[in-house]
Amino acid sequence: MVEALGIDIKEMLFAVANFLILIAVLTKFLYKPFLANLENRKQSIQDAFDNAEAVNKRADEKMSAYNKRIANVEQEAREILKDAKMKADRQASQIVDEANEKASLMLQKAEAEIERQKILAVEEAKEQIAMLAVMAAEKIIEKELDASGQTQLIDNILKEAGASGWQN
Amino acid sequence: MIEKLHSIGISNAMITSTVITLILCAVAVIGGRRIESVPSSKLQNALEAGIEKLYRFFEDIMGEYACRRYFPVVATLFIYILVCNYSGLLPMAGHFPGLAAPTSSINFPMGLAVVVFFATQIVGIRESHGPRFFKHLFQPFAFLFPIMLVEQFVRPLSLTLRLYGNVFGEEAVVSSFFDMVPLGLPLPMQALSILMGFVQALVFSLLAAIYIGEAAHTAEHL
C-alpha cells in the first residue's frame, strides 16, 4: 500500500533533512540577525524620540525662565526710570526754590542798600544846603557872625526847613 | 550525472529540493553577511521587509511569546514550500531531468507534515516541562480521548494531502492542457498556479503556526 501511494521513506527523510538544514541556516543568517537589527532600530528610534522630547522640554523650561527674566528686567527698568524722574523733579524744584530764595535775599539786600544810600544822600544834601544857606545868609546880611551865633542861625534855618516838609 | 543519481535512488524532487535548499542558504548567507542599521542594499531592504511581514503575520496567529520562540520553524516552512511550489512553474519542470517541484511528490509534504507533528508535541512537552502536556488529550472530558488522539494524527495527514493534492492536481491539469494545445492554453492555469503556490504555502505554514501556537498555549493552561 505504501508503495502504491508512492510513499518513499528515503525521499521523505531527504525532505526532512533539507528542511532541518534550512531552518538552521536561515535562523543563523537570516532571522536572528535581521530581527535583532529591526529591534535595535526600533529601540534607537524610540531613544531618539525620547531624547528629542527631553531636549524640547529643557528648551521650553529655559525659554520660560528667560521670558520671566526679561519681564523682570522691564519692570526694573520702569522702576529705575520712575525713581530717576522723581529724583530729577525733586532736584529741579529744589534748585528753583534756592534760586527764588537767593533772588529775594538779593532784592532785600539791594533795597536795604538803596535805603542806606538814600539816607546818606539826604545827609549830604542837608550839609550842602546848610553850607549854601550859610553862604547865602552871609551874602544877604553881609556881616559876620561869631561861631556860636552861626550855629544857632543854621539850626533855626534847618528847623524851619524841616517844618515846611522840605525834606521829603 | 543525473542518470547516475537516479540509479542510486535519488529522484528529481530530491535533486530540486536540494538545489532549492542550497540557493536559499546562499541567499541567507549573502543577505545576512553585512547588515546595516541604515540599509543601503536592495537585498537587505527586501529581506527585512519580508521577514518583518512574516513575523507580524505569525505573531498575530501564534501570539507574541510563541512567535518569538518558534518563528524560525513556521517561517522556514512558508519560504521553503513557496519556493518549491514555484519551482514547478519553471519551464520544462517535470520533464527536464533533475527538475520537478518537490511538493508534487507526496513524500515531500509528508516529510514536512511529520516535522510539524513532532514539532507540535515537542513544543507542548517543552512548554509544560514534561509529559504533563498530554493531559490536554483528556480535556475537557476524558471520554473524548479517542477523538482527540485521532485529531492529532489526522492533522499531518490533512496537511500532506492538501499540499500534495493541490500541487499535483495543478501540474496534472497544466500537463494535460499542454498535451491538448501546447501554445496558450496552459497559460491561464499557470497564472492561477502562481496564486495557488502562494496560498498553499501560506495555508501549510498557517496551520503549522496554529498547531504550534496552540501547543505552547495549551501548556500554559494545564
Side-chain angles (χ1 to χ4, degrees):
Chain A
M1 183 190 152
V2 168
E3 268 179 30
L5 284 172
I7 295 173
D8 176 5
I9 298 294
K10 200 166 65 183
E11 207 173 300
M12 228 167 88
L13 289 178
F14 216 85
V16 172
N18 271 343
F19 179 65
L20 294 180
I21 290 168
L22 201 57
I23 287 184
V25 173
L26 292 194
T27 304
K28 182 158 177 10
F29 290 100
L30 212 60
Y31 306 137
K32 265 195 185 158
F34 273 86
L35 289 175
N37 189 36
L38 287 175
E39 191 55 41
N40 285 345
R41 191 178 303 152
K42 199 171 139 192
Q43 194 56 49
S44 69
I45 289 170
Q46 186 63 48
D47 286 351
F49 270 117
D50 289 350
N51 200 22
E53 206 171 301
V55 168
N56 261 351
K57 208 172 151 195
R58 260 211 311 275
D60 279 351
E61 272 167 17
K62 260 195 188 157
M63 184 81 169
S64 71
Y66 281 136
N67 278 342
K68 217 182 259 174
R69 219 190 275 176
I70 285 170
N72 279 350
V73 165
E74 272 175 8
Q75 180 80 19
E76 262 172 43
R78 263 205 299 277
E79 262 167 31
I80 288 170
L81 221 61
K82 212 165 112 188
D83 278 358
K85 214 171 165 187
M86 268 166 70
K87 223 176 182 175
D89 280 350
R90 244 196 339 262
Q91 235 165 7
S93 69
Q94 207 179 335
I95 287 167
V96 169
D97 284 353
E98 266 174 23
N100 277 340
E101 214 173 297
K102 237 185 208 167
S104 71
L105 216 67
M106 272 163 78
L107 209 65
Q108 268 176 19
K109 246 190 200 164
E111 272 173 359
E113 180 67 21
I114 287 165
E115 195 61 31
R116 205 175 57 86
Q117 291 288 339
K118 200 169 139 189
I119 290 166
L120 223 63
V122 168
E123 287 294 322
E124 219 167 287
K126 263 185 192 170
E127 255 172 50
Q128 294 274 328
I129 289 162
M131 294 280 278
L132 274 171
V134 172
M135 273 165 71
E138 271 178 356
K139 284 248 163 108
I140 290 165
I141 58 177
E142 295 261 85
K143 72 172 181 157
E144 270 189 44
L145 296 173
D146 56 17
S148 67
Q150 253 180 44
T151 314
Q152 205 181 341
L153 192 69
I154 290 163
D155 282 344
N156 284 343
I157 289 167
L158 281 178
K159 230 174 253 175
E160 269 169 46
S164 66
W166 184 88
Q167 258 178 315
N168 292 324
Chain B
M1 186 188 155
I2 303 284
E3 280 77 26
K4 213 181 225 176
L5 287 172
H6 285 164
S7 68
I8 56 164
I10 307 279
S11 67
N12 283 341
M14 284 153 90
I15 295 170
T16 311
S17 76
T18 308
V19 170
I20 288 169
T21 306
L22 290 177
I23 290 172
L24 287 177
C25 287
V27 170
V29 171
I30 292 168
R33 203 174 37 188
R34 209 182 57 234
I35 296 178
E36 296 162 312
S37 111
V38 180
S40 57
S41 81
K42 283 178 183 164
L43 181 64
Q44 190 191 335
N45 267 327
L47 289 175
E48 254 181 27
I51 289 171
E52 199 182 7
K53 275 259 151 55
L54 269 183
Y55 191 83
R56 301 284 163 242
F57 175 74
F58 286 121
E59 194 180 28
D60 284 346
I61 293 158
M62 302 167 82
E64 203 223 317
Y65 169 77
C67 185
R68 208 175 51 238
R69 302 196 71 166
Y70 305 112
F71 173 71
V73 178
V74 287
T76 310
L77 268 178
F78 175 76
I79 295 168
Y80 199 24
I81 295 172
L82 184 74
V83 178
C84 286
N85 285 349
Y86 283 169
S87 70
L89 290 174
L90 291 171
M92 297 301 288
H95 302 284
F96 192 76
L99 180 62
T103 36
S104 65
S105 146
I106 193 165
N107 300 302
F108 188 85
M110 191 173 268
L112 295 185
V114 168
V115 170
V116 171
F117 173 79
F118 281 110
T120 309
Q121 311 309 320
I122 291 167
V123 166
I125 292 168
R126 191 173 152 191
E127 294 297 330
S128 57
H129 308 293
R132 220 155 49 89
F133 168 66
F134 296 107
K135 265 205 261 175
H136 82 96
L137 293 174
F138 300 94
Q139 284 170 347
F141 306 110
F143 69 86
L144 289 178
F145 171 71
I147 297 174
M148 300 292 274
L149 197 66
V150 167
E151 191 203 348
Q152 291 296 317
F153 287 100
V154 163
R155 279 175 177 182
L157 197 67
S158 78
L159 282 177
T160 307
L161 292 180
R162 186 182 303 108
L163 182 58
Y164 165 68
N166 274 288
V167 178
F168 179 77
E170 182 266 333
E171 289 211 338
V173 172
V174 172
S175 131
S176 54
F177 277 11
F178 186 79
D179 288 342
M180 284 191 276
V181 186
L183 210 62
L185 193 57
L187 260 183
M189 213 47 222
Q190 292 244 297
L192 258 182
S193 63
I194 293 177
L195 185 69
M196 193 276 307
F198 179 79
V199 169
Q200 286 312 313
L202 196 68
V203 167
F204 197 102
S205 55
L206 176 75
L207 285 169
I210 290 171
Y211 298 154
I212 292 172
E214 194 188 58
H217 291 296
T218 307
E220 272 173 28
H221 299 301
L222 281 174

